[in-house]
Amino acid sequence: MEPRLVKPPGQDFAVERLKSRYGLGGCSSGEYAFSNFDQYKCKRRSLTSPVAWPYNLASNSGNWTECCSDASYSALKHVSSPTSKASNKRSLLPHQINQIYDELFQIHQKLQCETSAQQKFAEELQKREHFLAEREQLLFRHETALSKMKGMEEEVLTRFRIIKEQHDAEVVHLTEALKEKNRECKRLRSSFDTLKELNDYLKKQLNEVSEENRKMEIQAKRVQARLDNLQRKYEFMTIQRLKGNSHAAHEIKSLKQEKVPVSKTCKVPLNAQVYELLTIFMDWISDYYLSKLKSEGSGMGSESPVLEFASQRNDIQEKCVKLLPVMTEQLQWMPFVNSKLHEPFLKFIYWSLRQLEAGTLHSTMTSTLRRLGEDIFKGVVTKGIQDNSSEPSMENKPKIAAFFRSSNLPLRFLSTLIVLKTVTQADYLAQAFDSLCLDLKTEEGKVLFLEYQAVPVILNHLRISSKGLLSNVIDSLLQMTVESKSLQPFLEACSNNLFFRTCSVLLRTPKLDIQILEKLSIILQKLSKIKSNKKFFELFTIHLMLQEIQRTTHPEHAFLCINLNSTLFNLGLTKCNSLTSNGSH
């Protein structure tokens, strides 16, 4: 930007004052502008032209031209030359010209000062203008930033509003969850109070039972003392009966050693007819009393017979609880007894165990039953001395009573059922089920299965907790479904609440093995042929589970699909052609 020349105030006033003093008012102001020495020629022309001069200068017009020329020249030289030369020439000019020259020189100096001041002022103005331009650019940038910030503010406000709405929704949700938790805590507190009350009640019952147990222990001690008295009385009577016998001493010695452990040498009384008599009584009691079990779901009569039966059953159970420990101890004597008497003895034990199914086992019975099962499974080996009236006493070889491993089928079958009722070890149970499956392949085994009402014994192991034995349990039941004379009685024995409830629980098991399902479907298909069993299928919703299994079974399992279709057809729940119905056989 070029610096502009600004006239200082008072410049035009000084020029006008000079014009008025020397009579130059008609001349234009441009002719007397002495700011620039380039106007010298114009000034000289104006001086040589005819003008109205002052009076004292009129006579010397010729000289005036020269003087003016010289003065003009001197003024020019004064402007362009140093000050010393101008001062030398002043003396040559007239006084008025000198005065004009001095004033013009002063004006020139003032103009130079003002010009320099104006230049500085112009530079300052230029700097200020540049500074203002920069400030303007800065303001423009600030304005742009403010506009962006305004947009950002709107976006932030929008985001804040959205976050606030989300926060409010979350607060509402958490409030509802807190209320739900409070309600749940109240329910848990109520349940806890109920359980606490129940616990207090059970503690009270426990104290009562403990007191009753203490009384029973005192009574048991009294009974034991009475039993000891009876044993001493029996010893005395036996001594009196055997008095005069050469072997009486041995008998007395054996009676005194009754309390010695069975693993040691022991003796058996001479009269074996006592055991035969006892076995006859056992057979009689087993067949006419103990084997009369009331199956589940069969009692639909009046209330008084049910109460009478319950009372009678409780009496029987109490007697069985008392007899079973004694019978377990007597197993150690079985090797010395005729093997024909083993079967009635085990039969009595089996039916006693069956009587205890619905009752509550005493705490001491657990170890008794475990010992009973192990003795039946392993057999009894005893070394002892047998008395004989005609022969002198002599030590015999070890005697063995093999129950579970006996070659006699009825005895082995009974032993197997007792093992299944008393033993909990998986390896013993697996061998017992293998033996049972082999025995059920014979017609005699099937008859014994029905005679001893073994279905509830097998059902005790038909549960998913016995997963390793589940296949063996199903196989033993499946052996009974083979076409034979025992098939219909077996199906009738399975037509009760216990069997269908067990099957229902088993079918509800997720991811049940397909082979187990196939075997179970065979049994259910045969049971579905009995019209009266439809109520059991509906009572335990087995028909719905079979329909669901049919829907989800892969078509590759054709055997299972055929059995399911046949079962549902027999129940009247689906249409099936005769070929499919007969294909399950």
Side-chain angles (χ1 to χ4, degrees):
M1 178 183 295
E2 295 181 358
R4 292 176 294 178
L5 184 61
V6 181
K7 289 183 179 182
Q11 180 180 355
D12 293 337
F13 177 77
V15 174
E16 291 296 329
R17 185 170 57 83
L18 290 173
K19 286 180 181 182
S20 64
R21 176 182 296 182
Y22 298 106
L24 299 175
C27 298
S28 61
S29 60
E31 294 176 350
Y32 292 96
F34 293 101
S35 62
N36 197 330
F37 286 105
D38 292 336
Q39 297 177 358
Y40 174 72
K41 293 179 179 181
C42 180
K43 176 66 179 179
R44 189 175 181 180
R45 282 194 217 96
S46 63
L47 291 175
T48 56
S49 62
V51 291
W53 296 101
Y55 177 75
N56 55 0
L57 297 175
S59 61
N60 297 323
S61 60
N63 295 329
W64 172 248
T65 305
E66 294 176 359
C67 290
C68 289
S69 302
D70 294 336
S72 300
Y73 180 74
S74 300
L76 180 60
K77 288 181 71 174
H78 173 75
V79 174
S80 60
S81 64
T83 308
S84 60
K85 292 181 180 182
S87 61
N88 293 329
K89 288 184 179 183
R90 278 181 193 175
S91 61
L92 300 178
L93 295 176
H95 175 71
Q96 293 178 349
I97 297 302
N98 289 333
Q99 188 179 1
I100 293 172
Y101 181 81
D102 292 335
E103 291 180 0
L104 289 175
F105 182 73
Q106 292 176 2
I107 292 171
H108 175 67
Q109 287 181 343
K110 290 180 180 180
L111 289 175
Q112 282 184 343
C113 293
E114 290 179 0
T115 301
S116 61
Q118 287 176 358
Q119 289 178 352
K120 292 180 180 180
F121 183 68
E123 290 176 359
E124 185 178 354
L125 288 178
Q126 187 177 5
K127 290 180 181 179
R128 292 187 65 184
E129 184 177 3
H130 180 68
F131 175 73
L132 291 176
E134 290 180 353
R135 290 290 301 274
E136 185 179 8
Q137 293 295 329
L138 181 62
L139 288 176
F140 285 156
R141 288 196 296 271
H142 287 176
E143 184 179 3
T144 305
L146 286 175
S147 61
K148 291 182 180 179
M149 289 178 64
K150 186 176 181 181
M152 290 294 294
E153 182 181 6
E154 294 178 355
E155 185 178 355
V156 168
L157 290 175
T158 304
R159 293 286 299 277
F160 177 75
R161 186 172 62 256
I162 294 173
I163 293 174
K164 186 177 180 181
E165 292 175 356
Q166 292 178 352
H167 174 72
D168 295 339
E170 188 175 358
V171 168
V172 172
H173 175 71
L174 291 177
T175 305
E176 293 296 330
L178 182 61
K179 291 180 180 178
E180 183 65 25
K181 289 293 183 182
N182 289 334
R183 288 195 292 270
E184 186 176 356
C185 288
K186 290 180 181 179
R187 288 195 297 269
L188 290 175
R189 190 178 295 109
S190 177
S191 301
F192 176 75
D193 294 338
T194 304
L195 289 175
K196 186 177 180 181
E197 293 176 0
L198 182 60
N199 186 33
D200 295 338
Y201 176 71
L202 290 176
K203 283 183 179 179
K204 184 179 178 181
Q205 280 190 340
L206 179 62
N207 294 331
E208 294 176 357
V209 171
S210 300
E211 183 65 23
E212 186 177 357
N213 185 30
R214 187 180 63 81
K215 293 179 181 179
M216 294 295 292
E217 287 178 354
I218 295 173
Q219 186 178 358
K221 291 179 180 179
R222 293 175 182 173
V223 172
Q224 184 65 35
R226 185 180 177 185
L227 179 61
D228 293 340
N229 292 333
L230 290 175
Q231 285 180 346
R232 284 194 293 270
K233 184 178 179 180
Y234 175 71
E235 291 175 5
F236 177 75
M237 293 177 65
T238 304
I239 292 172
Q240 292 294 329
R241 187 177 67 251
L242 298 177
K243 195 172 183 179
N245 194 325
S246 60
H247 301 284
H250 296 288
E251 180 64 21
I252 293 172
K253 188 177 179 181
S254 65
L255 291 175
K256 290 181 179 179
Q257 293 177 350
E258 281 184 357
K259 295 184 179 180
V260 178
V262 295
S263 60
K264 295 182 179 180
T265 303
C266 54
K267 298 180 180 179
V268 181
L270 173 67
N271 193 359
Q273 293 180 355
V274 176
Y275 291 98
E276 294 180 2
L277 181 61
L278 288 175
T279 53
I280 292 173
F281 278 121
M282 289 178 184
D283 271 338
W284 178 36
I285 295 172
S286 299
D287 294 338
Y288 290 94
Y289 293 98
L290 299 181
S291 62
K292 304 300 180 182
L293 298 174
K294 188 174 181 64
S295 60
E296 183 180 358
S298 61
M300 299 295 179
S302 61
E303 184 177 357
S304 57
V306 174
L307 294 176
E308 182 180 356
F309 177 80
S311 176
Q312 181 182 0
R313 186 170 187 174
N314 289 335
D315 294 338
I316 295 175
Q317 287 177 356
E318 291 179 1
K319 292 179 175 59
C320 291
V321 169
K322 294 178 181 179
L323 283 174
L324 277 175
V326 181
M327 302 290 287
T328 304
E329 292 294 334
Q330 291 300 315
L331 281 176
Q332 308 301 324
W333 295 87
M334 288 297 102
F336 301 106
V337 181
N338 190 354
S339 59
K340 294 180 181 180
L341 305 179
H342 292 177
E343 183 180 350
F345 186 77
L346 294 187
K347 188 176 181 181
F348 184 84
I349 293 176
Y350 171 74
W351 287 117
S352 300
L353 292 172
R354 291 297 305 276
Q355 284 292 333
L356 297 178
E357 283 180 348
T360 304
L361 292 178
H362 197 269
S363 60
T364 57
M365 290 298 295
T366 305
S367 58
T368 301
L369 296 181
R370 182 173 62 251
R371 179 184 172 189
L372 173 63
E374 290 177 355
D375 288 344
I376 296 294
F377 182 81
K378 297 178 180 178
V380 179
V381 180
T382 309
K383 181 184 293 186
I385 300 175
Q386 182 177 5
D387 294 332
N388 196 327
S389 58
S390 59
E391 298 178 359
S393 60
M394 59 177 298
E395 188 173 352
N396 297 329
K397 294 180 180 180
K399 301 253 181 215
I400 300 175
F403 301 113
F404 177 71
R405 305 186 187 280
S406 175
S407 58
N408 184 15
L409 177 58
L411 181 61
R412 183 174 67 250
F413 199 89
L414 267 174
S415 302
T416 302
L417 295 181
I418 293 174
V419 170
L420 294 178
K421 283 291 295 178
T422 56
V423 173
T424 58
Q425 291 177 282
D427 53 342
Y428 289 1
L429 292 174
Q431 296 183 47
F433 276 112
D434 291 340
S435 175
L436 182 63
C437 290
L438 292 175
D439 293 341
L440 290 177
K441 291 181 179 180
T442 63
E443 190 63 31
E444 185 181 0
K446 293 183 175 64
V447 173
L448 291 173
F449 187 91
L450 297 174
E451 179 183 350
Y452 295 127
Q453 304 175 25
V455 173
V457 179
I458 305 301
L459 291 181
N460 287 335
H461 300 278
L462 189 62
R463 55 180 183 271
I464 195 59
S465 58
S466 305
K467 195 170 183 179
L469 300 172
L470 199 55
S471 179
N472 294 335
V473 177
I474 294 290
D475 289 340
S476 60
L477 292 175
L478 201 61
Q479 287 294 334
M480 293 297 297
T481 60
V482 179
E483 290 295 337
S484 64
K485 296 179 181 180
S486 305
L487 175 59
Q488 192 61 29
F490 169 74
L491 296 178
E492 293 175 358
C494 294
S495 301
N496 51 50
N497 286 343
L498 178 61
F499 183 86
F500 282 92
R501 183 188 298 114
T502 306
C503 291
S504 175
V505 173
L506 186 62
L507 287 173
R508 294 178 195 277
T509 304
K511 297 182 181 179
L512 190 62
D513 187 30
I514 193 67
Q515 295 181 355
I516 303 296
L517 277 176
E518 289 178 352
K519 295 175 182 179
L520 188 60
S521 66
I522 296 174
I523 302 173
L524 293 176
Q525 189 271 338
K526 293 184 179 295
L527 287 171
S528 65
K529 294 180 180 179
I530 302 175
K531 298 295 184 181
S532 59
N533 284 340
K534 185 176 180 180
K535 61 182 180 181
F536 294 115
F537 279 95
E538 295 175 352
L539 178 63
F540 297 101
T541 65
I542 295 178
H543 63 294
L544 299 179
M545 288 184 280
L546 294 180
Q547 287 177 339
E548 180 64 20
I549 294 173
Q550 182 193 29
R551 186 181 64 83
T552 57
T553 302
H554 196 276
E556 291 181 357
H557 306 292
F559 183 74
L560 178 59
C561 294
I562 291 173
N563 284 332
L564 293 175
N565 290 334
S566 178
T567 304
L568 296 174
F569 175 75
N570 293 335
L571 296 175
L573 299 175
T574 184
K575 295 181 180 181
C576 181
N577 54 30
S578 59
L579 180 61
T580 306
S581 178
N582 296 330
S584 62
H585 303 292

